[in-house]
Amino acid sequence: MFDSGLGGLSIWQAVTRALPDWPVTYLADQAYCPYGPRSQVEIAARTLAICRYLADQGASLIVIACNTATSAGVDHVRAALSIPVVGVEPAIKPAAAASRSGRISVLATEAMLKSRRFESLVRRHAGDVDVLPRPGVGWVEKVEAGDLTSPDTRRLISEVVTPLLSENVDHIVLGCTHYPFLAPLIREMAGDGIVLDDPAEAIARRVVTLINGKTPSATAGAPYRFLTTSGDPHPMAAVLPALIGHRYAVESRPLP
Ligand code: DGL
């Protein structure tokens, strides 16, 4: 699995719960994080390089646990690799189908909201539901730092969520895998009348379907490994307990 950073751990949690016997290597591309402000071309190239690396390491399936990387790069990765590749996309289809007010908001990175894939998702799945796209400015950095509750984090979330309260939206789609870690604060500010749509469980079901009852090979190794492309593995190791409630060793894998 990989993400630009630690957000994909929201998907990791759902996948490892659904498949507790499967070894999972999680790679955080922290040397390039955040992807949000980067160009589609750069994100696509990076996504392909990382997926090639994971395939060379013996991955039998790759989850691109990042909406931004999926939108820019999943087609290239699928064309280049012969193993199954699961991507993640904002849950616009189920949110629009369930909306009663006819207005939903999608929170995602700038790159995701500017991508052709986003435009196509809205065109294909929103129907006559209004979609209000909003970037979570500064949110990714807060999750990377494990800062999920400070006054500054509250301020950044409030700047996006509070104005939505007067927009009559009844669904907020969490279209960046970092954002579920901020869901408790988003929920507190949005109140109970707004549904937060998080794709993690749907991705886990998709992975279970593709694994289709197979068992891991005997040589697969340690159950969970964590890699970062940053030269220093300590910051990621320090933040893991705040995000997934457990300490793990982190290995440094600077990828060119
Ligand atoms: N977690 C990523 C996503 O789902 C992107 C965060 C970033 O690097 O900007 O889009």
Side-chain angles (χ1 to χ4, degrees), residues 33-198:
C33 187
Y35 281 6
R38 296 180 186 276
S39 74
Q40 298 287 312
V41 171
E42 189 180 10
I43 299 166
R46 197 63 197 161
T47 300
L48 182 56
I50 288 172
C51 290
R52 278 195 202 281
Y53 172 78
L54 294 174
D56 289 348
Q57 296 300 302
S60 53
L61 178 151
I62 294 176
V63 179
I64 303 180
C66 176
N67 296 262
T68 311
T70 299
S71 72
V74 71
D75 294 339
H76 305 284
V77 176
R78 288 196 175 124
L81 301 182
S82 54
I83 53 175
V85 178
V86 177
V88 48
E89 291 183 326
I92 293 175
K93 190 177 182 181
S99 174
R100 293 197 187 162
S101 68
R103 284 169 82 78
I104 66 172
S105 181
V106 179
L107 309 184
T109 65
E110 284 167 79
M112 176 71 219
L113 297 175
K114 278 195 280 198
S115 69
R116 277 209 217 113
R117 211 172 176 95
F118 178 72
E119 189 204 304
S120 141
L121 278 174
V122 173
R123 193 170 8 89
R124 285 181 291 132
H125 300 309
D128 54 7
V129 168
D130 281 340
V131 177
L132 283 67
R134 298 283 186 270
V137 177
W139 293 17
V140 167
E141 290 81 350
K142 289 297 184 188
V143 174
E144 289 296 305
D147 174 3
L148 309 182
T149 53
S150 74
D152 201 41
T153 301
R154 295 184 79 89
R155 179 185 60 78
L156 289 172
I157 294 174
S158 175
E159 278 172 9
V160 176
V161 175
T162 306
L164 285 176
L165 300 181
S166 51
E167 293 282 2
N168 195 27
V169 301
D170 61 355
H171 281 255
I172 293 181
V173 175
L174 303 179
C176 167
T177 53
H178 282 73
Y179 298 174
F181 290 110
L182 301 170
L185 273 187
I186 300 171
R187 150 114 0 274
E188 183 192 311
M189 293 178 200
D192 292 335
I194 297 182
V195 178
L196 304 185
D197 295 275
D198 173 359

Side-chain angles (χ1 to χ4, degrees), residues 190-256:
D192 292 335
I194 297 182
V195 178
L196 304 185
D197 295 275
D198 173 359
E201 297 300 333
I203 299 296
R205 285 195 295 276
R206 178 78 190 127
V207 174
V208 169
T209 304
L210 289 168
I211 295 277
N212 190 21
K214 291 193 224 44
T215 48
S217 78
T219 55
Y224 301 131
R225 289 179 69 200
F226 295 89
L227 314 178
T228 176
T229 57
S230 121
D232 180 3
H234 296 106
M236 175 166 168
V239 170
L240 285 181
L243 300 184
I244 55 175
H246 213 288
R247 275 182 194 288
Y248 289 101
V250 176
E251 304 160 50
S252 178
R253 283 287 178 294
L255 298 179

